[in-house]
Amino acid sequence: MGYTLAQKIIARASKKSQVQVNEIVEVDIDFAMIHDSSGPRRFGSTLEKLGATVWNPDKVALISDHFVSSSDSTEASILKLTREWAKKYRISKFHEREGIGHIVPVERGYITPGMMYVGADSHSTTAGAMGCFAIALGSTDMLGVMATGKTWVKVPESIKIIWKGKLSKGVMAKDMMLKSIQRTGIDGATYKSVEFSGSAVDTLPMDERLVLSNMAIEMGAKAGIIEANDIVIDYLNERNVSNFEVVTADKDAFYFETLEFNANQLEPMVALPHSPDNVKPVSAIDHFEPLDQAYIGACTGAKYYDLEIAAQVLKGRRVSKNTRLLIAPASSEVMRRATKSGIVETLLDAGATFLPTGCGACAGLGNGVLAPGERCISSTNRNFPGRMGSGSEVYLASPATVAASAITGRITDPREFL
């Protein structure tokens, strides 16, 4: 019996020739990401009390993304503490106001295929789109990583999700994930490694591949991995990164479950309040209450490709006078590219308001948070009660669907505008 991507990467990281499902092993960490909310403010004082230091500052990225721009003195103090910690421990890969912690390390070429990657945030699974094993750790486990460069992991069972065919115009990776989560539920892949494959996955641009791995956590998955192909290799080569080895699953690997979907038949999907698995196709939504807000933001839905598709929908049109369209780009690099290409101008002409890059309203922070009773359609990844504001309702959809809905002020199929 062959081995899955998760088994192969874990075996290398644990210096073993092979590992078995449910085996508990100690692994060496190739790269770690912490941010202003999950990092120094959580474990910094304990690290100091232990008399320990960061095991390898060059293998750590520290991203200030949750509390930018600070809205009060408490948030400003957290950012100040984070800056000082980065300086004290000589963290050269410190990025403040440059984007979200799941996007910046990918953009900078810090993450490569085959890595054992850990992040102190639940959506650290995002990096799995690079063909690595990327998992989330809590602050206590991350403290151990900071001090030793190691952690433990139980080898997970794997689920294979195959998307055949090709996406039609106006249908995006977010729709693929909402359809997948509709099938599995929010706990159907608990502590499983999900491998995404198939012709529809193979042709996705890099920004779209990230969506699949990002939202694997919404199935309860430990990791969401996509085998690296030429799209990933070209992406890294553009960043002058070449020192890596692509890991592939064995053809006879055993999977706990295999799920198949047809991208040709997929239509835009929407997750209704208050769970990412409360999903319906847009054509089956029989209530069209007015929307107070449309939000394009977060690591899931505000990358360059997302803004590009939103601009195609909005070009030459205007946002409804009853709905505000807020856009928080996933990184400063995204903002630079979108400005240079004219995308920002198109979105501004349509009536969009741009917010600072960062996690923002997705995490219930800063600009864009909802008032009680307000209704929002969002490109983010979670819509649990209170996620974007107490007493509000959040509908999850692709950036294309969010943009189309901003025009009409109600949930709308983006294919009407493409």
Side-chain angles (χ1 to χ4, degrees):
M1 187 69 70
Y3 296 96
T4 64
L5 283 170
Q7 286 176 290
K8 285 193 167 185
I9 296 172
I10 293 171
R12 181 201 60 78
S14 61
K15 297 183 173 63
K16 290 175 172 281
S17 59
Q18 59 188 43
V19 293
Q20 303 301 322
V21 169
N22 293 327
E23 183 178 355
I24 297 175
V25 296
E26 184 181 73
V27 293
D28 292 328
I29 302 304
D30 295 305
F31 201 81
M33 185 279 294
I34 54 179
H35 56 58
D36 50 348
S37 181
S38 67
R41 68 187 287 245
R42 303 292 186 188
F43 59 70
S45 61
T46 306
L47 187 72
E48 188 172 349
K49 288 178 183 177
L50 292 172
T53 190
V54 175
W55 101 99
N56 188 334
D58 291 334
K59 292 186 176 183
V60 176
L62 173 55
I63 317 291
S64 283
D65 58 1
H66 277 60
F67 298 109
V68 293
S69 297
S70 55
S71 58
D72 56 39
S73 59
T74 298
E75 292 183 354
S77 295
I78 292 171
L79 293 174
K80 181 174 182 288
L81 180 152
T82 306
R83 290 185 210 105
E84 292 173 347
W85 193 90
K87 184 176 181 180
K88 177 179 180 178
Y89 290 96
R90 300 181 179 180
I91 308 297
S92 60
K93 297 178 177 68
F94 171 55
H95 301 278
E96 180 177 355
R97 302 171 190 269
E98 294 181 53
I100 300 172
H102 309 303
I103 302 303
V104 173
V106 173
E107 289 180 336
R108 299 301 175 107
Y110 299 159
I111 306 168
T112 57
M115 271 189 169
M116 176 61 65
Y117 173 91
V118 295
D121 186 280
S122 59
H123 288 103
S124 296
T125 54
T126 305
M130 303 300 293
C132 67
F133 189 73
I135 61 175
L137 296 182
S139 297
T140 302
D141 284 321
M142 189 57 80
L143 169 64
V145 170
M146 289 295 107
T148 68
K150 299 177 183 291
T151 194
W152 65 272
V153 65
K154 184 174 77 170
V155 182
E157 294 177 309
S158 291
I159 294 175
K160 192 168 193 176
I161 294 183
I162 302 170
W163 275 94
K164 298 179 179 179
K166 183 180 180 181
L167 295 175
S168 59
K169 195 168 187 179
V171 183
M172 303 182 68
K174 180 65 167 289
D175 301 305
M176 296 170 71
M177 280 310 298
L178 291 178
K179 182 67 176 179
S180 300
I181 297 167
Q182 181 190 46
R183 173 87 71 90
T184 65
I186 57 173
D187 58 356
T190 299
Y191 210 94
K192 304 288 194 300
S193 176
V194 177
E195 289 185 19
F196 297 96
S197 63
S199 56
V201 175
D202 293 340
T203 56
L204 288 176
M206 194 67 242
D207 281 354
E208 288 282 80
R209 295 167 73 91
L210 293 167
V211 176
L212 304 187
S213 294
N214 176 283
M215 291 194 68
I217 192 69
E218 310 310 335
M219 302 173 169
K222 183 68 173 176
I225 314 178
I226 308 174
E227 191 173 291
N229 62 6
D230 287 344
I231 291 172
V232 176
I233 293 170
D234 290 345
Y235 184 88
L236 289 168
N237 287 339
E238 289 171 2
R239 288 153 178 77
N240 298 314
V241 179
S242 58
N243 185 25
F244 57 86
E245 183 177 346
V246 173
V247 179
T248 59
D250 292 329
K251 292 183 179 179
D252 60 343
F254 173 77
Y255 292 91
F256 171 80
E257 186 177 17
T258 299
L259 304 176
E260 294 192 11
F261 299 89
N262 188 339
N264 296 327
Q265 300 173 356
L266 184 65
E267 65 176 287
M269 309 295 288
V270 179
L272 284 62
H274 291 284
S275 180
D277 63 357
N278 186 19
V279 175
K280 289 184 179 182
V282 68
S283 62
I285 298 175
D286 56 6
H287 59 288
F288 294 87
E289 293 97 338
L291 297 166
D292 300 291
Q293 179 168 297
Y295 185 81
I296 297 176
C299 48
T300 324
K303 303 173 296 302
Y304 181 82
Y305 186 81
D306 301 319
L307 270 56
E308 182 178 45
I309 297 300
Q312 290 177 17
V313 173
L314 287 159
K315 188 174 180 62
R317 301 182 175 94
R318 288 286 300 178
V319 172
S320 167
K321 64 180 181 180
N322 298 315
T323 304
R324 54 189 182 272
L325 172 60
L326 306 182
I327 300 176
S331 73
S332 56
E333 175 63 22
V334 168
M335 188 64 177
R336 280 193 292 271
R337 289 180 62 195
T339 301
K340 187 175 181 180
S341 66
I343 287 172
V344 169
E345 183 177 7
T346 297
L347 296 172
L348 287 172
D349 287 345
T353 297
F354 277 82
L355 304 180
T357 62
C359 297
C362 175
L365 300 166
N367 297 322
V369 173
L370 301 165
E374 286 197 310
R375 188 176 295 111
C376 174
I377 187 165
S378 175
S379 69
T380 54
N381 42 38
R382 287 182 179 158
N383 61 343
F384 300 123
R387 173 73 178 182
M388 293 181 69
S390 178
S392 62
E393 291 186 354
V394 177
Y395 294 75
L396 303 179
S398 75
T401 301
V402 174
S405 301
I407 295 169
T408 64
R410 301 175 187 275
I411 295 174
T412 301
D413 190 329
R415 293 173 298 182
E416 297 180 17
F417 299 103
L418 292 170

